[in-house]
Amino acid sequence: MKSDSVTKGMQQAPHRSLFNALGMTEEELNRPLVGIVSSYNEIVPGHMNLDKIVNAVKTGVAMAGGTPIVFPAIAVCDGIAMGHVGMKYSLVTRDLICDSTECMAIAHAFDALVMVPNCDKNVPGLLMAAARLNIPTVFVSGGPMMAGHVKGHKTSLSSMFEAVGSYSAGTMTEEDVKEFERRACPTCGSCSGMYTANSMNCLAEAIGMGLEGNGTIPAVYSERIKLAKHAGMKVMELLEKNIRPRDIMTEKAFTNALVVDMALGCSTNTMLHIPAIAHEAGVEINVDIANEISSRTPNLCHLAPAGPTYMEDLYEAGGVYAVMKELTKKDLLYTDLITATGRTVGENIEHAVNRNPEVIRPVENPYSETGGLAILKGNLAPDSGVVKRSAVVPEMMKHEGPARVFDCEEDAIAAIKGGKIVAGDVVVIRYEGPKGGPGMREMLNPTSAIAGMGLGSSVALITDGRFSGASRGASIGHVSPEAAVGGPIALVEEGDIISIDIENCRLDVLISDEEMAARKAKWQPREPKVTTGYLARYAKLVTSGNRGAILEIQ
């Protein structure tokens, strides 16, 4: 046991004295030490219930013969951070979470870990840490929020943001917006649509690191407490069998995750997180593979914001396992892979049943024959851009329009809400990438303003930043190379015609190669927006969006 280095032998007497100071008994020190990584805090709605989840995990670990020990992980609420400087501090926490977990786990010689995340960066950050540490690990999230109800319709955070746009357009009153405020987010949990948090919690199941229901059992259901106890018990089984994260998170397992991603219609942020997690597991994923997987994977779910169903509906319909069971009908998954259940993918999903073919379409009747995400390339995105194809209206799958160019999110929002953006325009927001932001802010405010003002079926938005999973419409993010390193998005000029062809995975600005080269020759890098603190350090180390915005010593 790794913990022997702090609990056994005469040389470890000082260590044991400190465990004694914690009130630990000899019996506890003779058992495996299991770290429980708790993302609990009182500022993130998706995390306010994690104390109960953590206590249930502790019970499960103790029941199975381990000694549970809790330590924390930070978390940023993307919704509260949205639309101001705080959003620069969202994606960057993914690496802080990973690094700090590595530090705690190795410094204290834990034998195994149970990760208790919930919201956007905690899940990928802790999956990265699990892959890096490679000690037996199980994930159990805090679960999704229940949908809100406004005027007889289910609703969620994305509807809340769009309500603000509708108010700006004069189609909603202040009282209407206040009703959304009161009712859009009614419970604890990760926001109720297929946004980034729920996408990653579902993919934790698909990749094999979470137990059944990890992504879909509502946060307020007692069944989630039972799931947490089982996670605590299960990690002890994995420790006994020496099943480790890199045994589970193999290249084939990442392929499974991408297939399920396409079927569910997950957030575009998965195209940042899956490559980053894979990198820590020693697996290199080029995002180009997403189009190949998408071409053979049907899109089976239209969860909010792509459609009118929510995470609670996916849970009632059979959850992630039911989606995976549908996908096996076309032999789209590797079913012989070991998972954190101690069983194979095939054994896990054998009992799964699709209870609602309106929520989980059968493979014979998909929403589309291709997956929910698409990687776009062209002279505007030589490395790549990404769009949530399943949330784009048919009339915007192909679009040409004049560029309306903004060098930061705030200027774009002011123009949209000021009525300066009209049908047909292509809004370009640049210098918001991993280095240029720094921090690659989400653009939920401008996409929601566009939708709320009735322009969602006629205006596109392109950025080297990224989008919340709550964004919908022709919203193309992660454009790489980013503007800060002289990518073509930095060379676009006001009025240039931009061509978007999502069906053929193309993104181009309609200027000649010669004109592009002339503009490139004149381009000068800009002074960094931030020169001190963590963001400045992050900007120096971060790579491009198409590589998952991983950190490298450069």
Side-chain angles (χ1 to χ4, degrees):
M1 291 290 178
K2 289 183 180 293
S3 59
D4 288 354
S5 62
V6 294
T7 60
K8 302 290 192 296
M10 185 54 64
Q11 291 298 318
Q12 279 64 47
H15 305 71
R16 289 193 296 274
S17 72
L18 293 169
F19 282 112
N20 183 67
L22 291 168
M24 286 200 179
T25 65
E26 285 187 26
E27 290 84 356
E28 287 174 296
L29 294 184
N30 285 329
R31 295 177 171 186
L33 302 185
V34 179
I36 301 173
V37 188
S38 171
S39 297
Y40 170 78
N41 63 47
E42 295 183 342
I43 188 64
V44 183
H47 292 213
M48 62 183 284
N49 66 321
L50 294 190
D51 54 341
K52 296 177 175 59
I53 303 298
V54 166
N55 285 335
V57 172
K58 289 176 68 176
T59 298
V61 169
M63 287 170 64
T67 298
I69 303 173
V70 179
F71 65 89
I74 63 169
V76 165
C77 177
D78 278 22
I80 295 174
M82 194 71 67
H84 60 96
V85 68
M87 181 45 71
K88 293 179 184 288
Y89 287 88
S90 172
L91 178 62
V92 303
T93 64
R94 185 185 72 180
D95 296 275
L96 279 176
I97 292 160
C98 176
D99 293 347
S100 61
T101 302
E102 173 194 357
C103 293
M104 289 293 288
I106 294 178
H108 301 104
F110 287 109
D111 298 303
L113 297 169
V114 179
M115 307 293 200
V116 187
N118 209 29
C119 290
D120 293 30
K121 309 310 165 301
N122 297 83
V123 187
L126 291 178
L127 281 166
M128 289 164 66
R132 186 184 295 179
L133 289 163
N134 202 35
I135 60 177
T137 303
V138 174
F139 275 69
V140 55
S141 77
M145 182 183 291
M146 300 295 285
H149 291 266
V150 178
K151 299 185 188 304
H153 298 285
K154 285 186 177 182
T155 190
S156 61
L157 184 66
S158 55
S159 303
M160 181 71 253
F161 274 89
E162 290 178 15
V164 176
S166 297
Y167 175 78
S168 298
T171 58
M172 237 185 223
T173 66
E174 184 176 353
E175 186 54 41
D176 289 332
V177 175
K178 286 184 176 179
E179 184 174 6
F180 271 91
E181 279 185 53
R182 292 190 294 267
R183 297 178 178 274
C185 299
T187 71
C188 63
S190 48
C191 295
S192 56
M194 187 52 82
Y195 311 150
T196 304
N198 292 326
S199 295
M200 293 307 303
N201 281 323
C202 287
L203 295 186
E205 283 186 63
I207 206 169
M209 291 297 294
L211 306 185
E212 182 180 9
N214 179 70
T216 58
I217 298 171
V220 295
Y221 282 17
S222 297
E223 188 177 350
R224 184 154 289 277
I225 300 297
K226 294 164 66 176
L227 178 73
K229 291 175 182 176
H230 283 130
M233 290 185 271
K234 186 59 67 174
V235 80
M236 297 304 297
E237 179 185 328
L238 298 185
L239 179 61
E240 180 182 354
K241 295 179 178 177
N242 196 30
I243 298 174
R244 305 183 182 201
R246 291 195 185 191
D247 300 324
I248 296 168
M249 290 193 281
T250 62
E251 184 173 359
K252 289 181 178 179
F254 284 108
T255 299
N256 278 359
L258 286 167
V259 169
V260 175
D261 189 342
M262 296 300 170
L264 285 172
C266 290
S267 165
T268 53
N269 282 315
T270 61
M271 292 296 103
L272 286 174
H273 299 322
I274 290 176
I277 299 161
H279 178 75
E280 294 292 348
V283 176
E284 294 304 317
I285 289 182
N286 187 322
V287 294
D288 291 351
I289 193 177
N291 283 344
E292 186 276 322
I293 291 173
S294 180
S295 70
R296 55 185 169 86
T297 304
N299 178 226
L300 305 182
C301 299
H302 268 192
L303 296 147
T309 53
Y310 293 82
M311 295 305 297
E312 62 206 60
D313 302 309
L314 180 59
Y315 166 69
E316 296 292 345
V320 175
Y321 278 15
V323 174
M324 295 174 74
K325 185 71 171 288
E326 288 288 345
L327 293 169
T328 61
K329 295 177 183 178
K330 294 187 70 172
D331 294 323
L332 290 170
L333 297 176
Y334 296 102
T335 58
D336 59 344
L337 309 180
I338 195 65
T339 71
T341 67
R343 301 186 299 274
T344 66
V345 171
E347 291 170 331
N348 286 343
I349 66 175
E350 186 176 6
H351 71 280
V353 176
N354 181 355
R355 301 189 188 95
N356 189 340
E358 294 302 313
V359 175
I360 304 172
R361 290 279 187 93
V363 292
E364 301 85 4
N365 181 36
Y367 282 101
S368 67
E369 294 291 345
T370 54
L373 300 180
I375 302 297
L376 310 186
K377 286 193 173 186
N379 72 349
L380 188 50
D383 289 341
S384 69
V386 62
V387 64
K388 189 169 185 176
R389 175 166 48 192
S390 60
V392 179
V393 294
E395 53 266 40
M396 289 299 288
M397 295 296 283
K398 286 188 177 183
H399 180 75
E400 286 189 5
R404 304 299 309 280
V405 182
F406 304 93
D407 288 349
C408 67
E409 178 188 5
E410 289 83 355
D411 289 351
I413 292 171
I416 295 165
K417 291 187 175 179
K420 296 179 181 179
I421 302 302
V422 299
D425 284 348
V426 178
V427 176
V428 177
I429 306 178
R430 61 192 181 188
Y431 293 98
E432 290 283 9
K435 285 184 178 294
M440 204 178 187
R441 288 195 285 182
E442 286 186 345
M443 303 290 167
L444 179 57
N445 269 1
T447 59
S448 297
I450 287 169
M453 296 185 75
L455 297 171
S457 60
S458 60
V459 170
L461 194 154
I462 295 171
T463 182
D464 53 6
R466 59 196 181 91
F467 295 108
S468 166
S471 291
R472 61 187 176 97
S475 304
I476 301 165
H478 311 185
V479 171
S480 304
E482 63 174 290
V485 299
I489 193 171
L491 312 178
V492 176
E493 296 181 358
E494 185 82 6
D496 283 347
I497 300 302
I498 291 177
S499 173
I500 300 166
D501 187 347
I502 296 172
E503 292 175 353
N504 292 300
C505 300
R506 294 290 306 181
L507 179 62
D508 296 283
V509 55
L510 300 184
I511 62 174
S512 67
D513 293 345
E514 291 78 14
E515 175 64 16
M516 184 77 82
R519 293 183 187 182
K520 177 68 174 176
K522 295 177 183 177
W523 179 82
Q524 294 291 325
R526 301 191 175 191
E527 290 296 317
K529 294 178 183 176
V530 180
T531 57
T532 60
Y534 179 60
L535 284 180
R537 190 160 67 249
Y538 179 88
K540 286 184 179 296
L541 298 177
V542 71
T543 61
S544 65
N546 69 301
R547 296 187 58 199
I550 62 172
L551 303 186
E552 278 188 341
I553 298 174
Q554 298 171 347

